[in-house]
Amino acid sequence: MKSDYRRIGDFIRKVSLRNTKLDVTNLMGINIDKFFMPSVANTVGTDMSKYKIVKKGQFACNRMHVGRDKRLPVALLKEDDIIVSPAYDVFEITDQDVLNPDYLMMWFSREEFDRNAWFYTDADVRGGLKWEDFCNLQLRAPSIVKQNEIVKEYNVLESRIKLNDGFIEKLEETAHAIYKQWFVSHENSDDEKRVKLDNYIETNPKLSLKKNTVTTYVELNDLTTTTMRITGSIKREFTGGGSKFQNYDTLLARITPSLENGKTAFVDILEEGEIAAGSTEFIVMRAKKNISPYWVYCLARDENFRSYAISSMVGSSGRQRVNEKYLGEYIVSKIKSEKMNEFHNTVEPIFGMVKLKSMENGKLSMLKNILLSKLV
């Protein structure tokens, strides 16, 4: 009902507790997916006493780049105290008997909220959002009983997704452990039994995709830093340029800091025979004949390979990219076809289970979005 709508500012107040005693050391930032994450800022020589403390149950947000990112990075802290940049806003709910913090975070997670926030950004190139405009954004606040019911339903879905995420991580750890045991721990030092990587893979292989063809499109943001999953994609017309790939290819971020952070994915979300398009900011790695595509993905996650890739980066500071041709010069042990086949058959069920759990999470996320859409 319209009478349920009120200003967000009617429910919150700013908090500005500085880290004057330097007793909080966990510095965090906020990503556009609205989660706290370890900060990558260089704090050498920085006066950390000016940083703001966020306590459990409080929110922090970064209003500076809403116009550019079309999202408001805002997060609710559910763990021990952290510190954030002095440029962030920290706020809390004035009366939790009237507004549930988890319900407010659900409201912030809605796409419609981000669209409204973007609409109110200023004309600055980065598109900042004024605090007054943030406070004037509308919030539907039904009774606290109704809020608690909605939060409970949402948390059931969240818990299931987290459970699957944990299972996926364990599956990936198992696959990488097998890879390391078979191909890293016992590498042969005999130069005659070592070959260049381009004997085993192609990078950015040529694929034909007609302009204006509607196909799956994957952004760099759809790759994660810890798992093989592609977390999102859209259907759109192919406009030319960018990367093209198929199922069983591996996508490797080529730009800093995404490569250093570990953004890599295994493609298994496409229809049979579909050619997808994607960002120019990742390299497509494809297994050659008789080479396991699972081996290629595990190699892309291997610390030694990633260090080699990082060492090949060229370009100006902050916009460095991997030299694609240099990757083919990477030296690996020559692998007998029998061993490659055995590895493929051993890890194939693991990759299959990751796909199943990822599909389940996709359906659960759809249910979450449906629930969020019903908040209005």
Side-chain angles (χ1 to χ4, degrees):
M1 295 175 62
K2 194 66 180 176
S3 59
D4 290 337
Y5 285 84
R6 292 171 58 186
R7 297 172 59 253
I8 288 176
D10 293 342
F11 298 94
I12 65 172
R13 62 183 167 219
K14 263 190 178 184
V15 179
S16 187
L17 178 61
R18 303 286 174 163
N19 191 32
T20 53
K21 296 182 180 179
L22 300 176
D23 49 0
V24 181
T25 58
N26 188 13
L27 175 60
M28 304 288 275
I30 307 172
N31 62 25
I32 59 174
D33 293 321
K34 305 181 189 288
F35 292 102
F36 287 108
M37 63 178 186
S39 174
V40 295
N42 182 0
T43 58
V44 176
T46 302
D47 182 3
M48 305 304 289
S49 68
K50 295 181 180 179
Y51 278 59
K52 296 178 180 178
I53 295 176
V54 186
K55 293 185 171 293
K56 185 176 181 179
Q58 293 180 339
F59 296 80
C61 71
N62 176 7
R63 297 180 287 107
M64 293 184 292
H65 306 126
V66 180
R68 182 191 68 187
D69 299 333
K70 297 184 178 180
R71 291 187 185 181
L72 174 64
V74 56
L76 169 63
L77 185 65
K78 294 190 174 184
E79 299 175 351
D80 295 335
D81 294 0
I82 63 170
I83 50 175
V84 295
S85 166
Y88 284 17
D89 296 304
V90 180
F91 60 93
E92 63 186 8
I93 293 173
T94 54
D95 187 351
Q96 295 190 15
D97 291 330
V98 175
L99 181 62
N100 185 319
D102 289 307
Y103 179 87
L104 180 57
M105 192 62 230
M106 287 178 63
W107 187 265
F108 289 150
S109 301
R110 298 170 57 250
E111 291 183 4
E112 184 65 25
F113 170 80
D114 281 324
R115 281 195 290 269
N116 288 336
W118 174 79
F119 181 79
Y120 284 101
T121 55
D122 58 34
D124 182 84
V125 66
R126 292 176 295 184
L129 177 68
K130 296 178 181 178
W131 175 254
E132 306 86 75
D133 291 330
F134 170 68
C135 289
N136 284 331
L137 292 172
Q138 295 291 297
L139 164 70
R140 186 191 177 202
S143 70
I144 192 66
V145 173
K146 183 62 176 178
Q147 290 178 41
N148 292 340
E149 290 174 357
I150 294 171
V151 167
K152 183 178 180 180
E153 186 177 352
Y154 188 82
N155 286 343
V156 169
L157 298 174
E158 280 275 84
S159 297
R160 183 66 185 181
I161 290 173
K162 288 181 180 179
L163 183 65
N164 283 343
D165 284 342
F167 188 41
I168 288 170
E169 287 185 13
K170 293 298 181 184
L171 288 169
E172 287 224 27
E173 288 174 6
T174 300
H176 292 305
I178 295 171
Y179 168 83
K180 288 183 178 180
Q181 184 179 10
W182 287 29
F183 302 109
V184 178
S185 300
H186 306 290
E187 282 191 332
N188 197 315
S189 60
D190 186 348
D191 290 341
E192 293 183 356
K193 294 185 178 181
R194 295 173 74 80
V195 296
K196 291 181 180 180
L197 182 59
D198 59 13
N199 286 274
Y200 290 164
I201 73 165
E202 298 176 81
T203 56
N204 292 333
K206 294 185 181 299
L207 287 171
S208 178
L209 186 59
K210 291 183 178 180
K211 200 170 183 180
N212 299 325
T213 299
V214 177
T215 191
T216 300
Y217 186 85
V218 176
E219 292 277 8
L220 184 61
N221 285 338
D222 297 324
L223 277 59
T224 75
T225 59
T226 57
T227 73
M228 68 180 72
R229 293 178 298 157
I230 295 173
T231 58
S233 63
I234 59 173
K235 290 286 188 179
R236 78 176 204 188
E237 289 187 355
F238 177 64
T239 57
S243 57
K244 297 184 285 290
F245 51 88
Q246 295 176 315
N247 278 336
Y248 301 105
D249 286 343
T250 290
L251 308 180
L252 176 74
R254 70 187 305 167
I255 191 170
T256 187
S258 297
L259 174 62
E260 295 93 327
N261 292 342
K263 285 207 168 192
T264 310
F266 183 78
V267 182
D268 61 4
I269 64 170
L270 308 178
E271 300 292 335
E272 185 176 353
E274 181 182 4
I275 298 173
S279 167
T280 59
E281 302 302 355
F282 48 66
I283 294 172
V284 179
M285 300 172 64
R286 176 172 300 167
K288 287 189 173 181
K289 187 177 180 180
N290 298 323
I291 302 300
S292 170
Y294 309 130
W295 179 87
V296 176
Y297 171 76
C298 290
L299 170 81
R301 283 280 183 198
D302 180 68
E303 293 177 2
N304 295 328
F305 173 77
R306 300 189 76 83
S307 296
Y308 176 86
I310 292 169
S311 72
S312 78
M313 299 184 88
V314 295
S316 59
S317 177
R319 299 297 295 174
Q320 293 184 315
R321 289 174 172 81
V322 171
N323 185 330
E324 172 197 337
K325 301 300 181 184
Y326 188 61
L327 293 184
E329 302 293 317
Y330 185 68
I331 301 298
V332 296
S333 295
K334 189 173 183 179
I335 305 169
K336 294 181 179 180
S337 59
E338 297 85 357
K339 187 174 184 180
M340 181 66 76
N341 290 336
E342 187 178 356
F343 173 78
H344 180 92
N345 294 332
T346 299
V347 301
E348 187 172 33
I350 297 175
F351 278 69
M353 184 58 70
V354 170
K355 180 178 180 179
L356 286 175
K357 290 298 177 182
S358 298
M359 290 173 64
E360 183 179 335
N361 273 3
K363 293 176 181 178
L364 291 169
S365 294
M366 287 178 62
L367 291 175
K368 277 176 53 181
N369 289 335
I370 291 172
L371 185 58
L372 290 175
S373 69
K374 291 182 177 180
L375 295 183
V376 294

